Amino acid sequence: QLQLVESGGGLVQPGGSLRLSCAASGHTLDYYAIGWFRQAPGKEREGISCVSASNDTTSYADSVKGRFTIFRDNAKSTVLLQMNSLKPEDTAVYYCAAARTLFTHCARDGPYAFWGQGTQVTVSS
């Protein structure tokens, strides 16, 4: 059973940056497509980004395009989400998820079989 752990969340001022990390306990993420999702209070979960196992396919929701970057650190078997120019509307719990799929494929909306517990991101002055 693949277990995912997110880290890097916190409180940041508008315009600031955070880097979220997704790691697997006891496993490598090299063969999984990874997606990042977020859910704000009272809102539906939103798929915001994904990266293929091959690391050459990425996808971003319009709400984060140009501000967020997803990439793999294969040496550490982690997937990172660099978030810049953060806005108050980015406040949410952020989750990473993993799926075994075609090596060059990722789908922002899934389906994903494995999920982390989430990390809180709060953007506020």
Side-chain angles (χ1 to χ4, degrees), residues 1-4 22 24 27-37 49-55 57 70 72 79 95-116:
Q1 181 81 1
L2 183 67
Q3 294 182 325
L4 301 177
C22 176
H27 289 80
T28 176
L29 293 179
D30 293 356
Y31 303 106
Y32 292 86
I34 302 298
W36 280 98
F37 293 77
S49 186
C50 68
V51 61
S52 63
S54 63
N55 202 30
T57 299
I70 189 171
R72 293 181 174 268
V79 175
Y95 302 88
C96 68
R100 290 295 296 265
T101 183
L102 295 175
F103 198 60
T104 57
H105 176 74
C106 79
R108 251 194 354 260
D109 295 327
Y112 289 90
F114 306 100
W115 292 81

Side-chain angles (χ1 to χ4, degrees), residues 39-79:
Q39 188 164 22
K43 294 188 176 181
E44 292 188 356
R45 187 175 63 195
E46 175 188 17
I48 57 173
S49 186
C50 68
V51 61
S52 63
S54 63
N55 202 30
D56 57 11
T57 299
T58 58
S59 178
Y60 298 92
D62 288 343
S63 57
V64 305
K65 196 173 295 182
R67 300 187 297 123
F68 292 11
T69 304
I70 189 171
F71 58 100
R72 293 181 174 268
D73 182 345
N74 287 332
K76 297 180 180 179
S77 193
T78 59
V79 175

Side-chain angles (χ1 to χ4, degrees), residues 5-13 15-23 36 48 67-74 76 78-86 90 94-96 118-123:
V5 178
E6 303 95 339
S7 61
L11 173 65
V12 64
Q13 292 186 342
S17 298
L18 282 175
R19 178 176 289 187
L20 304 184
S21 177
C22 176
W36 280 98
I48 57 173
R67 300 187 297 123
F68 292 11
T69 304
I70 189 171
F71 58 100
R72 293 181 174 268
D73 182 345
N74 287 332
K76 297 180 180 179
T78 59
V79 175
L80 303 167
L81 185 70
Q82 178 66 40
M83 307 188 297
N84 298 329
S85 302
L86 283 162
D90 294 318
Y94 284 69
Y95 302 88
C96 68
T119 185
Q120 175 71 45
V121 171
T122 303
V123 184

